[in-house]
Amino acid sequence: MTLAMDENNNMRDIINLSSTGDASITGSERLHQLPCFVDYDGPAKTSVYFLPEKQADLTYEASFRGRQLCGRKVTLPNSYIGHVLVESTALPHHGSQDMAFESDVAAATPTNDEQRELRSVGQFEELTVWEHDRVPLQDDDEFICSLQWVALANSIHADCTSTQVTSCSSEAIVAAD
């Protein structure tokens, strides 16, 4: 269990990662990061309507609501596991894909003073990142770039031997003004 604190060190949210068990998202339950917002939370027939096709260059193509999407599979860094979180007090589920009334959403959305609990319903080690009309690139996609910081953080916090320190100090480091 992880607690999230606000700027005044008050407990804000609870993230429960222990309730996952061995639930892994693999195979047909692949995880996708789409470049859009869908104002719906509930079951959908994605296996019927969202059909990614693998290309020869190991990228993916699909369409969503008539827009072309291009995707790339991204693997999390070694020793990292992603979690799919759902709010324990989720917004009310409506039987259709119609948007909820604003009053229903406002009543179910926690205020700043209320505590939220998120629980893990699945784990993943890879996901597909999508962009409109182009394949996400390693050097310009925000999510993919954020994963590069893991390697940098590991390097910064790693124990250094005297050999590593000597070899690093012999290289010139220039900072741009």
Side-chain angles (χ1 to χ4, degrees):
M1 181 176 300
T2 304
L3 303 177
M5 309 298 259
D6 65 12
E7 62 275 358
N8 297 323
N9 288 331
N10 295 321
M11 187 170 52
R12 175 71 181 103
D13 299 324
I14 298 173
I15 302 173
N16 187 353
L17 301 180
S18 62
S19 63
T20 309
D22 292 328
S24 291
I25 297 174
T26 58
S28 63
E29 298 178 306
R30 290 181 299 180
L31 189 64
H32 299 275
Q33 181 187 17
L34 297 175
C36 60
F37 174 77
V38 178
D39 195 10
Y40 173 71
D41 189 14
K45 296 179 182 177
T46 56
S47 62
V48 174
Y49 298 109
F50 188 69
L51 305 170
E53 295 178 8
K54 193 173 192 175
Q55 304 301 304
D57 61 353
L58 302 179
T59 61
Y60 294 85
E61 286 188 5
S63 64
F64 184 72
R65 295 186 176 175
R67 297 271 321 255
Q68 180 187 5
L69 297 175
C70 301
R72 160 174 289 166
K73 193 162 297 276
V74 175
T75 302
L76 298 180
N78 290 338
S79 75
Y80 280 76
I81 297 173
H83 286 267
V84 177
L85 302 175
V86 296
E87 192 164 355
S88 294
T89 55
L91 295 176
H93 171 66
H94 299 279
S96 68
Q97 292 186 358
D98 295 334
M99 291 182 206
F101 291 107
E102 286 184 26
S103 59
D104 292 342
V105 173
T109 303
T111 64
N112 287 339
D113 296 334
E114 293 181 54
Q115 179 180 323
R116 297 175 5 177
E117 183 174 350
L118 304 172
R119 62 183 171 83
S120 178
V121 295
Q123 298 178 351
F124 61 95
E125 293 179 1
E126 66 179 19
L127 71 152
T128 306
V129 178
W130 297 90
E131 288 287 339
H132 294 289
D133 305 324
R134 68 178 184 87
V135 175
L137 301 174
Q138 181 119 5
D139 58 349
D140 73 349
D141 182 82
E142 291 176 2
F143 178 78
I144 297 173
C145 286
S146 71
L147 296 177
Q148 295 173 1
W149 283 98
V150 172
L152 178 62
N154 288 339
S155 297
I156 290 171
H157 298 291
D159 291 333
C160 291
T161 64
S162 59
T163 308
Q164 290 172 325
V165 172
T166 305
S167 67
C168 290
S169 63
S170 64
E171 297 176 11
I173 298 175
V174 179
D177 290 327

